[in-house]
Structures are given as C-alpha cells and as structure tokens.
Amino acid sequence: MTLQKARAMVLSIALFCVAGVSQAHAASKPEWIFKTTPSTEKLAAVGSGNSVAEARQIALGNILLQVSQSLQAGTSSVLTSDDGESSSRFSQVAIGRSLKLDVGHADIAHQWQDPETGEVYLQLTVAKAGLIRALENRLSGITALSFPASSGQTDQLLWALKNLEPIQQGLRIEAALNGLGAAQPPARQHLLDQQEHARKVWQTAGVRIVAQQSLGTVARAIRPQLPTSTNTALWLQLDNQTFHRQTNGQTEIKQVLSVNLKQPHAPFTSYHQNQLIAFGSGPSRAAAEQAAEKALTDQLQQPLANWLF
C-alpha cells in the first residue's frame, strides 16, 4: 500500500468516526426537541440557550414566528446550529420584546440540558387564548391613533414621523391575530386608512438634515428614514458633543447627539427635541471615537419613532 493511499484511508476513518460521534450525539437528544405535537388550544416551540431564561425567550420568539411570518420584520430564521446561531438568537429575542407582549402564563412542557455542551433546551407552550388577548391589547392602543386631518402640514408631518412605524406594527399584529383565527377587519381597515394618510404626507412634505460636516456619517444613517420631498416642511438639526477621559490605560468617549425638529424658516420654532447618548472605548482616542460612532449608528438603525420621539 502506498503512503498516499494509507493517508487517504486514515482520513476516511477519522471522518467516519467524527460523523458517527455527531450522529450519536444528535440521537441522544430527546425527540421533542425536533418534533412538537400540534394542539388546537396551545402553541408550542423549542428554544435553546445558555440559561433557562434565554431558552425561554427564544422559544417565545419562535412561537410568535409560528403565528404569522409578517411578525419577522426582516429578522433571521430560527434555530440555526452554525456560527450564525448567536445573531439568530439576538433576532429572536428582539422579536419577543419589540412587540411588548404580555402573553400571560407560559408553561415549560419539557426541559433538557446537554451534558456535553451545557446548552439548555426547553419546549414552551402558550395558550392561544392568552396570546390572542395579549395581541388584542397591544392592537387596541395602536388603533386609537387618528390622523389630524384638520391640522396644518407641519403637524401632519410630525404625526406621520411619529406614528407610521407603530401603524405598520399594528398591521403586523392584526396579521398575527388573523393567523390565530381572531382577525380584526375593522381595526385593519382603520390602520390601512391611517397608513395611507401618513404616506401621502410623506410624499408631499420633506425633512432636511442640517448638520456640520463632521456629522456626515450620522446624517447618512438617518437620511434613508426621512421623507425626501423637495418641499421642505421641517429641518432636522443635528448637534454633537463629545466627552472623553482616560481610565486604566483606555480612552473612553461619550457622544451626545442632539436632534431638533424645527421650522425651516424664521422664527425657527422648535417642535420636538431629543438626545441620543453613545459610549465607546479603545486604546486610543481615534479607536474610542470610532467605537462610539458605531454605537450611535446602531441606535439610528432602529425605527425612526424609537429614537427620534
């Protein structure tokens, strides 16, 4: 036997052994991890994490994904097993929390901890009736929104900036209720009407960013979220303050971004102001500033209503 053939045989045996161990490890997991029993009264999903709390939150996110794919809002798919697992978990946690739902009582039907990895697996069940009530309660607050049809363009634009994203979230919630057999046609039509009003204002009234050149990166992160009509109805003025200190050989940076929605002409009345604060640290001031800028940009990637109002 040649040396090359011998090496190939050893490699084949090694791969076979690895595959055998992997299959044996997968086979040792409880069946409920891979298969849930359907129920007419309850929704069930599996979650895994480093703790029971993390696994529970992920399982809840997976239950919400079952209800309606529209609740995903651009997030990644569930239960990956490769290097993307951590980011997928973050997205799932975000799903469960962003809707601010109180789903009532959730039962842990099964729980198991992998003795090799320490990973916690649990199967969570939620009564459909409880989830429906939670979704209806969340929806009721959004359907109270009403477009100020008799107000001027500025007030209408301010309303649209603040409420377009909540209205879209309300439509996603109604789609989830529809998936549970509890559709709310009047609420859906009301939200569609409000969305249409907001979009019309969005198309006819623009917001211009007013900022120093040093805030170019921040301005570029904000611009895609704003209406782009050339009919400027509002200015969004940006101002930035930077504070720094040295501690334990590291430079720490605190950035305070002030945002001010204001009248684009004299007397330049301010309609709404807010502040965003971001921190960064690094071995040099440049590295700390870069970290703080990234933290600030991450905040600005959230829906407009979340950071502007």
Side-chain angles (χ1 to χ4, degrees), residues 129-298:
L131 185 54
I132 287 172
R133 284 195 299 272
L135 289 167
E136 287 177 339
N137 288 339
R138 184 73 180 90
L139 184 62
S140 64
I142 300 174
T143 53
L145 297 173
S146 181
F147 181 73
S150 60
S151 299
Q153 185 184 63
T154 298
D155 288 337
Q156 291 179 353
L157 180 55
L158 288 166
W159 185 93
L161 291 170
K162 184 176 182 179
N163 295 309
L164 182 57
E165 169 58 27
I167 288 168
Q168 292 170 341
Q169 186 182 70
L171 289 169
R172 293 194 293 269
I173 292 173
E174 198 284 327
L177 284 166
N178 185 44
L180 287 167
Q184 306 281 325
R188 179 170 183 79
Q189 188 56 54
H190 174 75
L191 292 175
L192 287 172
D193 291 342
Q194 303 309 302
Q195 179 179 251
E196 181 65 18
H197 290 314
R199 285 179 171 173
K200 283 183 178 178
V201 175
W202 208 271
Q203 293 168 359
T204 58
V207 178
R208 178 185 172 189
I209 296 176
V210 179
Q212 297 177 353
Q213 190 173 358
S214 59
L215 290 173
T217 300
V218 172
R220 285 191 293 273
I222 294 173
R223 192 167 288 112
Q225 301 185 54
L226 298 175
T228 57
S229 170
T230 56
N231 176 30
T232 302
L234 288 171
W235 278 357
L236 180 61
Q237 183 173 326
L238 307 178
D239 290 299
N240 187 54
Q241 287 182 293
T242 301
F243 305 90
H244 73 280
R245 68 176 184 179
Q246 294 291 131
T247 177
N248 298 325
Q250 293 279 305
T251 300
E252 294 182 351
I253 292 288
K254 174 184 176 181
Q255 282 197 8
V256 180
L257 179 69
S258 300
V259 293
N260 185 2
L261 279 170
K262 61 193 302 183
Q263 194 175 13
H265 50 74
F268 303 104
T269 303
S270 176
Y271 298 113
H272 180 77
Q273 298 181 59
N274 199 10
Q275 282 189 336
L276 286 79
I277 300 175
F279 297 92
S281 62
S284 65
R285 177 160 182 168
E289 287 178 343
Q290 186 176 13
E293 187 175 80
K294 183 181 183 305
L296 184 60
T297 303
D298 288 344

Side-chain angles (χ1 to χ4, degrees), residues 62-93:
N62 292 338
I63 286 175
L64 293 178
L65 288 177
Q66 288 181 38
V67 174
S68 172
Q69 289 299 310
S70 63
L71 285 177
Q72 292 187 55
T75 56
S76 57
S77 59
V78 299
L79 289 182
T80 61
S81 58
D82 53 16
D83 292 339
E85 187 173 16
S86 60
S87 61
S88 180
R89 284 181 187 165
F90 176 79
S91 296
Q92 292 166 33
V93 171

